[in-house]
Amino acid sequence: MTSALFYSMAGLALFAIGFFGVVVASHVMRKILALNVMGVGIFMFLIALAKRNPLVVDPLPHALVLTGIVIAVAGTALALNLMVRIHHIDQSSQEQSK
Amino acid sequence: MFNKLDIEYDGPPVDKSALSLIASVLVAGLLLAVTITIVLSDKGHNTGLATVITQNIELSGVTNPVTAVLLNFRAYDTLLEIAVLLVVVLAILPTRDHHTPFFKRIEVNKQNLVLSALQCWIAPAVVIFAGYLLWAGAHQPGGAFQAGALLAGASVLLFQSDTYQINYTSPIARVLLVLSLGVFITIGTALIWFEGSLLTYPLAFSGLLILLIETCATVSITLALASLYSSFIANENLSITDNKHRTIE
């Protein structure tokens, strides 16, 4: 087993764990974290496949992953902000109903 | 009684998490099978685009292949990425008073010793290290995104220690947020005039143009990430003060 195969399989395992979390988790925060685990799995997979040939490293997947990380961070921030907004709306509507 | 039970019985209880576990194991298995076939089938002969990139690295103006891909060969992707970041910031930028200054020191009533000490020691070091990372991006791993992420972390630390307040909706902040996209688009379209196509750098100036774009991108990414994560905390504080007002009323 080459290291590329090993790490790509580990990345896929992370993806599967994240997928499980996204489906099962009931809290939005847990879902967001699980989505991030999924994303990290995909990044790891791409990085591992960049070194399929043990002598040459393909820089293109590295650049892709770098772009992906920034977009993932921005998406996570958006999701967290929306989550906080939903939480506040829930709280204020509960207070009003009291 | 038995009849009633018969009517109410609707199959064995379904455990949703077990079903999802089976589903994710199936997904993982399928993906694993595909990966193993891919990796084993090319037997390491396929080097992807590595050879093409290393052959053309002299044309890019930098010696780090990842930076060359990000800011020269696939600069269009990076341009769109910065645009996405700006769109996310626009989506959730808190609607705060834009007359308060961009950066202001606020009075501290209870200072957190650990946070303020961390801020004193780490913030300057982070600024220097971010500058180094930005410069190093030309020839070794590093670049605008790493530097921007570091600086954003430092500004979230500043925000948490409650000594400084940064207003991300002030005019200066708006200009800095749009800076990198503006510079990138200006350079890209100006190059249509000089070189004949979008984002094709002239050979003599490519290193300089990449450094200029990267520097602007560092500033914008820092502000974008910091505003995203600070507004997340600021919303929390905002709601607490809201609640206080409500109870007073």
Side-chain angles (χ1 to χ4, degrees), chain B residues 103-173:
Chain B
F103 192 80
K104 116 180 160 192
R105 202 188 160 91
I106 50 178
E107 284 179 28
V108 193
N109 17 14
K110 54 173 179 69
Q111 196 159 25
N112 189 329
L113 268 180
V114 178
L115 269 178
S116 55
L118 262 180
Q119 175 201 312
C120 288
W121 284 95
I122 290 184
V126 164
V127 172
I128 292 173
F129 194 60
Y132 166 72
L133 268 180
L134 174 64
W135 182 252
H139 46 89
Q140 65 195 71
F145 298 110
Q146 290 87 330
L150 257 183
L151 283 174
S155 36
V156 170
L157 184 70
L158 274 186
F159 182 85
Q160 290 237 297
S161 62
D162 267 347
T163 339
Y164 299 99
Q165 197 176 38
I166 302 171
N167 180 8
Y168 294 105
T169 48
S170 64
I172 299 176

Side-chain angles (χ1 to χ4, degrees), chain B:
Chain B
M1 188 187 172
F2 280 110
N3 283 339
K4 199 182 170 191
L5 269 182
D6 276 345
I7 292 164
E8 282 180 355
Y9 180 73
D10 44 12
V14 181
D15 190 355
K16 275 187 180 171
S17 64
L19 275 181
S20 327
L21 185 61
I22 294 168
S24 28
V25 166
L26 278 178
V27 168
L30 188 70
L31 289 173
L32 269 183
V34 172
T35 317
I36 292 170
T37 347
I38 291 171
V39 176
L40 290 186
S41 65
D42 73 8
K43 296 186 184 66
H45 295 310
N46 191 348
T47 55
L49 290 171
T51 39
V52 183
I53 291 166
T54 40
Q55 276 164 12
N56 291 302
I57 197 88
E58 291 88 26
L59 304 176
S60 70
V62 288
T63 51
N64 178 16
V66 177
T67 309
V69 171
L70 273 178
L71 281 141
N72 199 329
F73 303 141
R74 298 296 310 158
Y76 192 59
D77 292 349
T78 311
L79 176 69
L80 290 179
E81 173 195 2
I82 290 171
V84 167
L85 206 56
L86 188 65
V87 167
V88 171
V89 171
L90 290 180
I92 59 175
L93 204 63
T95 47
R96 263 184 269 171
D97 179 20
H98 56 82
H99 294 300
T100 52
F102 169 56
F103 192 80
K104 116 180 160 192
R105 202 188 160 91
I106 50 178
E107 284 179 28
V108 193
N109 17 14
K110 54 173 179 69
Q111 196 159 25
N112 189 329
L113 268 180
V114 178
L115 269 178
S116 55
L118 262 180
Q119 175 201 312
C120 288
W121 284 95
I122 290 184
V126 164
V127 172
I128 292 173
F129 194 60
Y132 166 72
L133 268 180
L134 174 64
W135 182 252
H139 46 89
Q140 65 195 71
F145 298 110
Q146 290 87 330
L150 257 183
L151 283 174
S155 36
V156 170
L157 184 70
L158 274 186
F159 182 85
Q160 290 237 297
S161 62
D162 267 347
T163 339
Y164 299 99
Q165 197 176 38
I166 302 171
N167 180 8
Y168 294 105
T169 48
S170 64
I172 299 176
R174 291 178 191 206
V175 168
L176 291 178
L177 275 170
V178 186
L179 180 72
S180 69
L181 194 63
V183 167
F184 216 146
I185 290 176
T186 313
I187 290 177
T189 42
L191 287 172
I192 297 180
W193 186 274
F194 291 110
E195 295 287 310
S197 69
L198 186 74
L199 285 167
T200 310
Y201 307 123
L203 203 56
F205 297 108
S206 53
L208 198 69
L209 286 176
I210 286 176
L211 188 65
L212 178 66
I213 291 172
E214 286 240 49
T215 313
C216 296
T218 307
V219 174
S220 294
I221 288 167
T222 303
L223 267 180
L225 292 182
S227 72
L228 289 179
Y229 281 90
S230 306
S231 74
F232 168 57
I233 310 166
N235 278 338
E236 201 82 34
N237 294 340
L238 212 67
S239 74
I240 292 165
T241 48
D242 276 356
N243 286 338
K244 273 179 193 162
H245 285 303
R246 210 170 287 153
T247 47
I248 290 166
E249 282 163 10

Side-chain angles (χ1 to χ4, degrees), chain A residues 9 12 52-53 81 84 95, chain B residues 32 35 42 44 92 232 246:
Chain A
M9 276 160 65
L12 287 177
R52 272 174 298 172
N53 186 330
N81 273 279
V84 170
E95 276 176 22
Chain B
L32 269 183
T35 317
D42 73 8
I92 59 175
F232 168 57
R246 210 170 287 153

